[in-house]
Amino acid sequence: MSQLAATLLLAATPAMASDQAFEAAVADFQKFHRAEVQRAGIVGSSFYFIRDGRVVVADHLGEQDADAHVPVDAQTIFHWASITKTMTGIAIMQLRDRGLLALDDPVVRYVPELAAVHNPFGDTDRITIRQLMSHSAGFGGATWPWREHEWQPFEPKSWSQLVAMLPYTQVRFKPGTRFSYSNPGIVYLGQVIERLSGEDYEVYVDKNILKPLGMHASYFDRTPPHLLPHRSHSYYVRDGKRVAAPFDVDTGVTVSNGGLNAPLPDMARYVAFLLGDPERQSAYDLVLKRSSLEEMWTPQIAAGDDFTQGRMAETTRSGLSFFIDTVSGVRFVGHNGDQNGFRAYLSLCPDLHAGSLLAFNTQTRTEENSPANRKSAESRIALAAGKLCEALAPPRR
């Protein structure tokens, strides 16, 4: 791996400059981040810590292209995978706030094709939008489990392909009774958004989330030519060897589940919006009002048997398109992403008005739904990043 490039930006306010606990936590994290990236053979990684709407720590490590030796920098575009689901949830809440749907509406009201699924637990018209958002609707995980050859599409291109599979799709447990992370459920929410808005998912989110937040270098799926020099390649580490993943893939009809690409500065704008700012709240409310965001962060169901999301702990709970944890008295809200060699982590500490972004262009081991998932280099770094929020928290009595 080429020499690591890193930048540390500490806020200029006297209060933060004197926060020795935070500075010590930053130094410890940076040391650990660098060491784990190098040890695990991760090609490139970026980390931001945002506080009070400002980036106060920025690290860019390694390369975005291992063959051309292009270094990772602030313009590098990572794939954010399932963190896309948080924008899908925000889009649903926008439509709710505009009076176009209710969260407890049956999803078949908007996507009638779902009536064809096999549901041994009763009427499918009892499956609600809220249950899809909290992964408690009873659907399974994989969207397209037959990707075995290079000639096969990365994800299905059209909704009609998924419709053809609905009669072979089974509801696995009584909706609303337990958690099961479901990519198809989020694809169904994407259909709700398209049908109520009259626009493609990508167009709707660009108009209603990306553009209003100033995320002008963010986009879905194929990279526009003017941004290609900044698009990161991605890699797998298999049996100790680095293998290139397909470049610049298209998530097709599953875009609402995991199609977002963006550089770190754009994602920092997204985090600033999520955390809120009284001085900018009138502009942020045009995207989604504060009370609706807090509603999304209200726990809906226990998700402790899933070790792929949140803090990957037995205490993790699912909200509406976000995951909620409490560690050492600190509330964490966020979402993880994993697709095509990319790993990504969005983690908010809303009560401390802070949050972090962590992206990797290398997957060092296959993600698995077990406590062993916490042992990958990417997960270890993500969990260590939480110490920065813990350092900001007031002492517990």
Side-chain angles (χ1 to χ4, degrees):
M1 178 179 290
S2 66
Q3 183 178 2
L4 299 179
T7 305
L8 170 63
L9 305 173
L10 286 178
T13 63
M16 288 191 67
S18 64
D19 191 340
Q20 295 181 353
F22 179 71
E23 291 189 23
V26 169
D28 288 345
F29 173 76
Q30 287 187 305
K31 182 179 179 180
F32 184 74
H33 187 193
R34 289 165 170 75
E36 283 293 288
V37 162
Q38 193 163 35
R39 179 193 65 80
I42 293 171
V43 175
S45 175
S46 283
F47 173 78
Y48 271 13
F49 192 84
I50 298 98
R51 189 180 185 191
D52 295 323
R54 299 176 56 239
V55 176
V56 296
V57 182
D59 266 324
H60 303 293
L61 312 180
E63 298 176 327
Q64 70 178 38
D65 185 338
D67 294 324
H69 300 298
V70 178
V72 171
D73 60 22
Q75 292 181 289
T76 297
I77 294 168
F78 289 91
H79 180 59
W80 293 89
S82 287
I83 292 172
T84 307
K85 292 177 171 72
T86 65
M87 292 189 177
T88 299
I90 287 170
I92 289 289
M93 297 300 284
Q94 289 174 335
L95 297 173
R96 191 283 303 271
D97 288 354
R98 295 168 192 163
L100 297 178
L101 60 81
L103 297 186
D104 294 315
D105 284 345
V107 66
V108 293
R109 180 177 301 175
Y110 308 102
V111 190
E113 298 96 319
L114 290 174
V117 304
H118 176 63
N119 182 3
F121 302 96
D123 294 335
T124 303
D125 63 9
R126 295 180 183 177
I127 297 175
T128 66
I129 291 172
R130 181 189 303 274
Q131 289 167 349
L132 293 177
M133 294 177 75
S134 62
H135 298 278
S136 62
F139 292 107
T143 320
W144 198 252
W146 304 285
R147 193 192 309 135
E148 299 172 348
H149 305 285
E150 290 186 2
W151 55 265
Q152 293 172 327
F154 185 76
E155 291 280 24
K157 300 293 185 183
S158 68
W159 171 244
S160 63
Q161 290 174 292
L162 294 187
V163 170
M165 294 303 299
L166 290 179
Y168 306 92
T169 300
Q170 179 174 345
V171 177
R172 298 183 177 182
F173 57 83
K174 185 176 181 180
T177 60
R178 67 180 181 87
F179 173 91
S180 180
Y181 192 79
S182 173
N183 290 319
I186 309 304
V187 176
Y188 306 151
L189 290 177
Q191 288 297 304
V192 174
I193 294 164
E194 291 193 352
R195 296 177 192 204
L196 287 179
S197 69
E199 297 180 305
D200 289 345
Y201 172 88
E202 301 94 313
V203 173
Y204 177 88
V205 173
D206 186 67
K207 287 181 177 180
N208 292 274
I209 300 177
L210 301 184
K211 286 291 195 303
L213 295 179
M215 299 174 67
H216 298 299
S218 302
Y219 58 92
F220 294 94
D221 293 329
R222 298 292 187 194
T223 304
H226 73 284
L227 293 176
L228 269 174
H230 308 296
R231 177 69 154 109
S232 180
H233 292 244
S234 59
Y235 308 88
Y236 296 100
V237 175
R238 296 288 184 263
D239 299 322
K241 296 181 180 180
R242 186 181 70 221
V243 179
F247 178 66
D248 208 30
V249 297
D250 188 343
T251 59
V253 73
T254 74
V255 61
S256 58
N257 169 63
L260 179 67
N261 304 298
L264 268 289
D266 272 16
M267 292 300 291
R269 295 180 178 93
Y270 184 51
V271 169
F273 154 71
L274 293 172
L275 293 172
D277 181 349
E279 294 184 0
R280 301 192 62 190
Q281 204 54 50
S282 59
Y284 286 160
D285 282 348
L286 294 176
V287 178
L288 192 67
K289 60 186 180 182
R290 191 84 226 147
S291 60
S292 294
L293 268 175
E294 290 287 349
E295 185 179 351
M296 297 180 75
W297 301 344
T298 300
Q300 303 289 313
I301 197 163
D305 58 352
D306 187 295
F307 290 90
T308 68
Q309 289 301 324
R311 306 303 290 172
M312 298 167 276
E314 294 179 354
T315 54
T316 301
R317 295 166 293 171
S318 178
L320 298 174
S321 304
F322 287 89
F323 291 88
I324 302 100
D325 297 88
T326 300
V327 180
S328 301
V330 176
R331 179 175 64 134
F332 288 89
V333 175
H335 209 294
N336 306 342
D338 166 28
Q339 191 174 45
N340 196 41
F342 288 96
R343 296 288 292 271
Y345 302 83
L346 164 69
S347 183
L348 310 174
C349 320
D351 303 320
L352 301 172
H353 213 251
S356 65
L357 293 159
L358 180 62
F360 302 96
N361 65 8
T362 310
Q363 185 187 59
T364 62
R365 60 188 289 179
T366 302
E367 186 176 75
E368 54 185 304
N369 185 15
S370 81
N373 191 54
R374 296 168 59 92
K375 297 180 181 179
S376 73
E378 304 94 296
S379 293
R380 284 160 50 82
I381 296 168
L383 292 169
K387 297 295 184 183
L388 275 67
C389 276
E390 293 178 41
L392 292 173
R396 300 178 69 187
R397 295 181 179 180

